[in-house]
């Protein structure tokens, strides 16, 4: 084992896969999570169960690690900032604060002259009543949303009176894009103009949850180039270190829009574990631990299917897979509806 210890905040499946990648590089992982049964507990070297606000536990954790990263956005900014005073946190806490707020994120992207959906800030019901132009739309909480949580579709203005919204939270109303396709671009930035970029991935969502991802994406060359260019511009502007994912919409007229940025490894990039020489997880660990950058090589086309809720059961019971198939079980304690339980990647 090398001398390097990587601290990971958050203990979901992304934390597990980061831990597995780190182990391959001889790096020790210490996962900090507020969920006692976090899946990453089974994959890391050491596990700390504590609240993200617990100062004593935060300092114990910081003392044990050389570098710090996180596997989901919703870590309090103060926690990341305190940690960053003592050990290097990447991506930088200020980047996370910007991106975890849907409104600040979209303002930032638009300032770079990159197209997003049309959106408006909503603080109360009367704001909403003036936004008929943005319908049909999706009302989203500005923070803490994932997998479609905190989102309300609104078809027409009459629906607004019946919506039961908690206005202690802030919202953003987004005009619905008539989607032809969704794609994502994942890249890992190591420093100024130093990055490894994966080819665009085509994603299919159902009920706002990712169902499957594949490469190559069935898109024209322009869209492929534009999506990569915009992703690089975003990463450079943020002076980002680590793996980042940009989610895009393509409308029926082949217009490209940035949907959102994830300042972390991403579900659509699970197929990089088997389809590339270096996965998004290994690249993230390399970048945040200041290890060597390795040129990316694609090994195969691939398709990844998320196993949600009960869909995991037949795979657990009968692991008869082809040579080109790879089954991942996140070993979550309980099967829940709409919960990502595992995934299956097929190379072809
Ligand atoms: P989350 O943080 O939950 O991933 P997203 O904003 O990415 O939130 O929304 C999840 C999914 O919902 C998107 O991938 C897309 O399929 C759909 N969606 C979200 N916003 C829009 C929109 N403005 N127009 C069309 N579809 C949308
Ligand atoms: Mg999303």
């Amino acid at each position: 084992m090398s001398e390097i210890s990587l601290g990971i905040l958050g203990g979901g499946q992304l934390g597990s896969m980061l831990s597995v990648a780190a182990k391959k590089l001889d790096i020790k992982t210490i996962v900090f999570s507020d969920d006692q049964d976090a899946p990453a507990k089974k994959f890391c070297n050491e596990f700390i169960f504590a609240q993200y606000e617990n100062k004593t536990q935060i300092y114990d954790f910081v003392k044990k690690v050389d570098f710090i990263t996180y596997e989901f956005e919703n870590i309090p900014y103060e926690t990341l900032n305190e940690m960053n005073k003592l050990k290097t946190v990447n991506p930088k806490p200020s980047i996370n604060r910007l991106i975890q707020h849907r409104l600040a994120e979209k303002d930032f992207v638009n300032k770079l002259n990159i197209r997003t959906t049309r959106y408006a800030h909503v603080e109360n019901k009367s704001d909403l009543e003036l936004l008929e132009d943005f319908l049909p739309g999706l009302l989203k909480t500005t923070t803490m949303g994932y997998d479609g949580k905190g989102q309300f579709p609104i078809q027409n203005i009459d629906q607004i009176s019946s919506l039961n919204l908690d206005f202690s939270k802030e919202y953003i109303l987004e005009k619905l894009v008539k989607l032809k396709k969704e794609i994502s671009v994942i890249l890992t930035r190591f420093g100024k103009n130093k990055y490894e970029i994966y080819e665009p991935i085509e994603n299919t969502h159902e009920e706002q949850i990712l169902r499957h991802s594949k490469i190559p994406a069935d898109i024209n060359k322009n869209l492929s180039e534009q999506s990569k260019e915009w992703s690089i511009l975003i990463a450079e502007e943020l002076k980002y270190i680590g793996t980042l994912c940009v989610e895009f919409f393509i409308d029926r007229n082949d217009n490209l829009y940035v949907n959102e940025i994830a300042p972390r490894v991403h579900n659509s990039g699970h197929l990089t574990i088997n389809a590339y020489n270096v996965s998004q997880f290994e690249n993230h660990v390399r970048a945040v631990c200041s290890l060597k950058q390795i040129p990316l090589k694609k090994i195969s086309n691939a398709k990844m299917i998320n196993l949600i809720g009960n869909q995991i059961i037949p795979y657990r019971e009968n692991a008869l897979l082809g040579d080109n198939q790879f089954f991942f079980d996140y070993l979550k304690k309980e099967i829940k509806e709409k919960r990502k339980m595992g995934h299956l990647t097929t190379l072809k």
Side-chain angles (χ1 to χ4, degrees):
M1 205 57 23
S2 75
E3 294 299 301
I4 303 178
S5 292
L6 173 63
I8 302 170
L9 293 155
Q13 60 269 20
L14 299 175
S16 304
M17 289 183 256
L18 283 170
S19 299
V20 171
K23 189 169 268 173
K24 195 182 137 196
L25 297 168
D26 255 357
I27 289 174
K28 192 179 159 199
T29 48
I30 302 176
V31 167
F32 187 115
S33 170
D34 66 355
D35 171 9
Q36 196 156 15
D37 300 315
K41 192 175 181 175
K42 300 197 174 76
F43 297 88
C44 61
N45 295 94
E46 195 179 329
F47 183 78
I48 297 176
F49 162 58
Q51 301 306 308
Y52 294 115
E53 294 82 5
N54 184 326
K55 287 237 151 95
T56 321
Q57 297 275 28
I58 287 175
Y59 288 115
D60 279 352
F61 169 75
V62 171
K63 261 188 264 164
K64 290 178 182 209
V65 301
D66 300 300
F67 301 99
I68 298 170
T69 190
Y70 42 93
E71 60 96 70
F72 83 128
E73 289 97 310
N74 299 325
I75 312 274
Y77 171 71
E78 287 68 29
T79 302
L80 293 178
N81 206 30
E82 277 308 301
M83 291 180 172
N84 194 41
K85 288 176 188 162
L86 301 163
K87 296 279 166 68
T88 311
V89 177
N90 268 312
K92 288 280 164 244
S94 56
I95 296 180
N96 187 58
R97 183 173 56 177
L98 177 81
I99 291 178
Q100 76 171 207
H101 195 280
R102 291 188 194 275
L103 194 66
E105 176 189 37
K106 283 197 166 54
D107 287 346
F108 162 76
V109 172
N110 276 292
K111 272 200 197 116
L112 299 175
N113 281 322
I114 294 175
R115 190 185 298 115
T116 65
T117 56
R118 289 186 58 216
Y119 61 100
H121 189 195
V122 173
E123 286 176 296
N124 50 51
K125 210 164 220 168
S126 46
D127 283 352
L128 255 185
E129 281 156 2
L130 297 172
L131 294 172
E132 200 164 358
D133 253 16
F134 291 76
L135 301 181
L138 262 181
L139 189 70
K140 304 178 181 177
T141 51
T142 50
T143 58
M144 304 295 272
Y146 68 97
D147 288 348
K149 291 186 173 65
Q151 299 194 8
F152 309 85
I154 306 180
Q155 295 304 324
N156 54 59
I157 202 92
D158 305 330
Q159 253 177 293
I160 290 173
S161 54
S162 62
L163 277 178
N164 202 4
L165 296 170
D166 167 9
F167 280 106
S168 66
K169 292 180 187 149
E170 283 180 77
Y171 297 86
I172 177 172
L173 179 62
E174 274 182 44
K175 178 105 172 170
L176 219 53
V177 173
K178 293 199 172 86
L179 290 178
K180 179 166 149 187
K181 254 183 218 308
E182 292 188 68
I183 59 167
S184 55
V185 172
I186 294 175
L187 64 77
T188 308
R189 186 177 178 274
F190 289 78
K192 195 170 176 357
N193 291 320
K194 280 173 65 185
Y195 50 84
E196 296 298 327
I197 188 161
Y198 298 89
E199 72 177 66
I201 301 162
E202 181 170 337
N203 301 316
T204 310
H205 291 80
E206 282 164 26
E207 296 173 333
Q208 286 117 317
I209 300 182
L210 181 66
R211 290 287 155 162
H212 29 91
S213 297
K214 64 165 187 168
I215 48 169
D218 184 12
I219 54 173
N220 66 44
K221 197 153 186 274
N222 273 348
L223 287 169
S224 172
E225 290 308 312
Q226 180 83 91
S227 61
K228 286 195 280 187
E229 231 173 76
W230 282 355
S231 303
I232 291 165
L233 183 62
I234 288 170
E236 283 300 322
E237 187 68 23
L238 291 170
K239 299 192 169 67
Y240 194 93
I241 298 291
T243 295
L244 162 133
C245 175
V246 184
E247 297 178 12
F248 294 91
F249 294 149
I250 299 170
D251 75 9
R252 292 178 193 164
N253 298 316
D254 273 349
N255 292 309
L256 187 66
Y257 306 73
V258 165
N259 167 31
E260 62 173 348
I261 307 165
R264 52 169 170 79
V265 287
H266 193 261
N267 189 172
S268 63
H270 291 358
L271 51 74
T272 64
I273 296 175
N274 310 101
Y276 279 87
N277 63 332
V278 182
S279 73
Q280 62 162 352
F281 302 99
E282 179 176 338
N283 258 330
H284 186 71
V285 173
R286 284 182 178 278
V288 302
C289 295
S290 299
L291 302 186
K292 209 174 107 211
Q293 181 181 349
I294 292 177
L296 214 47
K297 275 196 221 93
K298 184 176 170 183
I299 296 167
S300 171
N301 290 336
K303 179 167 184 181
M304 187 267 336
I305 300 174
N306 267 340
L307 301 171
I308 295 171
N310 285 331
Q311 291 171 348
I312 189 91
I313 294 173
Y315 290 93
R316 278 187 179 162
E317 285 169 357
N318 176 9
L320 270 186
L321 303 169
D323 286 348
N324 59 338
Q325 291 191 304
F326 302 87
F327 166 55
F328 295 78
D329 188 338
Y330 304 153
L331 306 176
K332 291 187 180 174
K333 203 170 174 198
E334 251 182 286
I335 295 181
K336 282 191 196 151
E337 207 197 339
K338 295 198 175 175
R339 188 180 206 201
K340 292 167 181 167
M341 300 300 300
H343 74 263
L344 178 74
T345 299
T346 305
L347 301 182
K348 47 191 164 187

